[in-house]
């Protein structure tokens, strides 16, 4: 059986990590008691552990290899123990006694921030799940951490979905029967590529290198050597993490989109820009001389393609925080995203992940710190959208009420924004450096206020 090497981009994420900059994705899922009694804490841990252990990818760890030099590979952890990865954590009683739902969420979010600070232990499969209980009404939360080397956002959703009742049930019924796989015999194929395959591989490699050269040139042109306009978004890292959440009504976002044109994602990016403007002005911070840049990841994953590894590119987008008019901000975002889409996700400085795919393993091993420190020269904030299944989900019979995605922080940056839609609501997960942005909750409220103002400015004829 051959080994599975980490793809270049996965290797980059693995080596970009440091104690102050853990490179794991996260999600805070909140569950409500269902019609039947919720599982007890021990039963819930057992359920999570059983389902996580049944996901083959979660049994894999990273190990170094001799070739290629500087490379690494996935291997099954022969001493895998799911109890190392699934744990229960308690909220202090003083934070939950007598508090309502909002109090539990605030306390759970604070605790999740502390847990997100901690890098995943190397030498073990790079993931962790925490059950957070203690809500007066019996609600509980599950914090999931997956290393970015293990999966990108879309793949992380697919892996994490295996813990839900519906997906776990379908997976159990999908085991092939004795007749599965039978059919017409397939003639053996030579392991040696034919002349046409060799020519195709060579041409593809030339195209990849040409594309990487173009991205590299765009990267140099887009880099900013003068960072005097930097704000709290690019403060020095303290290694601490603070989380906050926000909820936007999906129907309101779609009403705005129907009037403004473009996509719902354009509206959400404009909401992020408007929220940053409000937040900066409220805290007495001068608006930057140049609009902050957002790195907006784009999936390159194709249906039926490889299930593992990161398949990413990205767009660069100037967030128009200097524009006072909300509708003009939205127009500017829509026009900029239209230009990005016309150029395609494989061109421009935002496609830095495409460049990383072309570098040798040794370059990632020794060049990761340099690349990490250069991130602030390219962008100021990460804004990513993560798709969720549209069906209703549950765990142990307890309905999923909300799920907030969490993105990692790049070096030299203080804020990452992740969005997803579930149950008619856009959920926003904010991850920040705890000392640079101690008022992160206010930024979440600014996003909600931005949507309210856009709605208030809709033409009368467009209101229901």
């Amino acid at each position: 059986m051959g080994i599975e090497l980490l793809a270049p981009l996965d290797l980059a994420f693995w080596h970009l990590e440091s104690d102050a900059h853990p490179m794991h994705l996260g999600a805070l899922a909140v569950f409500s008691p269902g019609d039947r009694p919720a599982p007890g804490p021990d039963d819930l841990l057992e359920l999570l552990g059983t389902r996580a252990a049944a996901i083959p990818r979660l049994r894999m760890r990273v190990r170094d290899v001799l070739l290629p030099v500087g490379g690494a590979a996935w291997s099954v952890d022969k001493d895998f123990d799911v109890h190392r990865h699934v744990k229960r954590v308690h909220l202090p009683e003083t934070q939950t006694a007598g508090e309502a739902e909002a109090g539990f969420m605030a306390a759970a979010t604070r605790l999740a921030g502390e847990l997100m600070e901690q890098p995943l232990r190397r030498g073990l499969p790079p993931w962790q799940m925490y059950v957070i209980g203690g809500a007066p009404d019996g609600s509980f939360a599950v914090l999931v951490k997956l290393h970015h080397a293990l999966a990108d956002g879309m793949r992380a959703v697919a892996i994490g979905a295996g813990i839900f009742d519906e997906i776990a049930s379908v997976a159990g019924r999908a085991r092939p029967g004795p007749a599965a796989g039978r059919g017409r015999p397939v003639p053996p194929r030579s392991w040696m590529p034919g002349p046409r395959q060799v020519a195709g591989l060579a041409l593809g490699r030339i195209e990849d290198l040409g594309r990487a050269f173009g991205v590299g040139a765009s990267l140099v042109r887009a880099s900013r050597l003068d960072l005097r306009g930097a704000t709290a978004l690019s403060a020095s890292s303290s290694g601490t993490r603070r989380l906050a959440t926000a909820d936007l009504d999906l129907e309101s976002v779609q009403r705005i989109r129907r009037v403004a044109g473009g996509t719902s994602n354009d509206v959400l990016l404009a909401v992020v820009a408007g929220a940053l403007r409000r937040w900066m002005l409220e805290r007495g911070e001068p608006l930057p001389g140049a609009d902050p840049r957002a790195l907006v990841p784009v999936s390159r994953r194709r249906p039926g393609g490889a299930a593992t590894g990161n398949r990413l590119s990205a767009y660069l987008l100037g967030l128009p925080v200097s524009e006072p008019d909300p509708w003009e901000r939205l127009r500017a975002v829509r026009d900029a995203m239209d230009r990005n889409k016309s150029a395609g996700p494989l061109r421009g400085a935002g496609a830095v992940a495409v460049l990383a795919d072309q570098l040798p393993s040794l370059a990632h091993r020794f060049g990761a710190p340099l690349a990490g420190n250069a991130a602030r020269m390219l962008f100021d904030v990460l804004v990513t959208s993560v798709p969720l299944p549209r069906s209703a989900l549950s765990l142990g019979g307890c309905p999923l009420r909300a799920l907030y995605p969490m993105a990692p922080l790049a070096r030299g940056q203080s804020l990452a924004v992740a969005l997803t839609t579930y149950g008619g609501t856009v959920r926003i997960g904010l991850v920040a450096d705890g000392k640079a942005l101690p008022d992160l909750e206010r930024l979440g409220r600014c996003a909600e206020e931005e949507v309210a103002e856009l709605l208030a400015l809709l033409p009368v004829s467009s209101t229901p």
Side-chain angles (χ1 to χ4, degrees):
M1 180 179 176
I3 63 173
E4 181 191 342
L5 294 173
L6 269 72
L9 187 54
D10 303 344
L11 195 63
F13 287 133
W14 188 248
H15 291 307
L16 276 170
E17 184 167 71
S18 67
D19 288 343
H21 295 90
M23 290 299 298
H24 49 253
L25 311 171
L28 184 64
V30 184
F31 298 88
S32 299
D35 297 332
R36 58 184 181 181
D42 293 337
D43 293 335
L44 188 56
L45 281 177
E46 184 65 25
L47 179 64
L48 271 177
T50 299
R51 290 183 178 173
I55 301 173
R57 199 67 186 168
L58 297 185
R59 291 176 168 267
M60 307 291 281
R61 67 180 184 89
V62 177
R63 64 177 179 85
D64 291 336
V65 295
L66 293 176
L67 293 175
V69 178
W74 293 106
S75 65
V76 176
D77 183 1
K78 296 180 180 178
D79 298 319
F80 178 77
D81 181 357
V82 74
H83 298 99
R84 294 174 175 170
H85 301 270
V86 179
K87 299 180 180 180
R88 179 156 51 110
V89 291
H90 300 275
L91 295 175
E93 292 184 3
T94 55
Q95 290 182 303
T96 59
E99 290 186 349
E101 174 185 328
F104 168 72
M105 272 302 301
T109 302
R110 284 195 296 269
L111 178 58
E114 297 173 7
L115 295 172
M116 287 291 285
E117 289 179 11
Q118 304 168 11
L120 293 163
R121 181 178 166 187
R122 297 213 167 195
L124 296 177
W127 64 275
Q128 200 80 41
M129 293 184 189
Y130 300 92
V131 179
I132 305 172
D137 65 352
S139 297
F140 63 92
V142 176
L143 175 67
V144 181
K145 293 165 55 175
L146 292 172
H147 200 285
H148 212 334
L150 186 67
D152 54 28
M154 290 186 67
R155 185 58 186 160
V157 170
I159 292 175
I163 71 171
F164 293 113
D165 296 338
E166 297 74 14
I167 286 82
S169 175
V170 171
R173 295 196 302 266
R175 295 191 184 98
R182 293 181 182 176
R184 297 178 61 184
V186 179
R189 300 174 66 180
S190 170
W191 63 271
M192 288 288 290
R196 290 185 179 179
Q197 290 175 295
V198 171
L201 290 172
L203 181 60
R205 184 59 177 165
I206 291 172
E207 291 175 348
D208 288 344
L209 291 174
R211 184 182 299 122
F213 181 81
V215 171
S218 298
L219 191 64
V220 172
R221 290 194 298 269
S223 296
R224 301 164 301 179
L225 298 179
D226 184 358
L227 300 176
R228 288 176 296 178
T231 65
L233 298 181
S234 54
S236 298
S237 174
S238 67
T240 60
R241 290 293 179 271
R242 190 174 185 88
L243 306 186
T245 63
D247 300 315
L248 307 179
D249 178 60
L250 178 60
E251 175 56 30
S252 297
V253 172
Q254 292 176 338
R255 281 177 57 196
I256 296 168
R257 176 196 59 79
R258 287 193 288 268
V259 173
T263 67
S264 294
N265 197 51
D266 294 341
V267 176
L268 293 174
L269 289 167
V271 167
V272 171
L276 286 172
R277 175 185 171 84
R278 290 170 180 270
W279 173 75
M280 289 177 181
L281 292 176
E282 285 185 10
R283 71 199 318 248
E285 183 174 321
L287 296 177
D291 286 335
R293 286 177 177 171
L295 187 74
V296 184
V298 179
S299 176
R300 294 192 290 136
R301 195 174 298 282
R302 296 179 179 177
T308 59
N310 283 270
R311 299 290 298 166
L312 292 172
S313 184
Y315 296 135
L316 274 185
L317 171 69
L319 295 173
V321 301
S322 58
E323 171 55 58
D325 185 279
W327 280 94
E328 283 300 309
R329 286 196 293 270
L330 177 51
R331 182 195 59 77
V333 166
R334 186 193 63 206
D335 291 348
M337 288 301 290
D338 284 346
R339 290 192 297 271
N340 276 328
K341 292 169 189 174
S342 295
L346 301 182
R347 297 181 181 179
V352 63
V354 177
L355 179 61
D357 267 338
Q358 306 304 318
L359 297 177
S361 302
L362 202 59
H364 288 301
R365 181 176 289 271
F366 293 107
L370 180 62
N373 290 326
R376 63 177 301 207
M377 298 173 62
L378 184 63
F379 66 98
D380 302 289
V381 58
L382 175 73
V383 184
T384 182
S385 295
V386 182
L388 278 183
R390 294 185 179 181
S391 58
L393 301 171
S394 62
L395 177 63
C398 298
L400 175 67
R401 187 171 76 227
L403 187 146
Y404 299 96
M406 307 291 177
L409 286 182
R411 299 188 190 204
Q413 290 159 352
S414 303
L415 176 67
V417 182
L419 310 99
T420 195
T421 299
Y422 179 77
T425 303
V426 179
R427 311 288 182 176
I428 304 179
L430 303 170
V431 179
D433 183 279
K435 291 188 177 179
L437 279 72
D439 55 344
L440 188 63
E441 292 82 1
R442 180 59 194 151
L443 179 59
R445 291 194 294 273
C446 286
E448 296 166 357
E449 293 168 2
E450 182 71 8
V451 171
E453 182 170 2
L454 283 166
L455 281 174
L457 294 174
L458 282 176
V460 176
S461 59
S462 67
T463 58

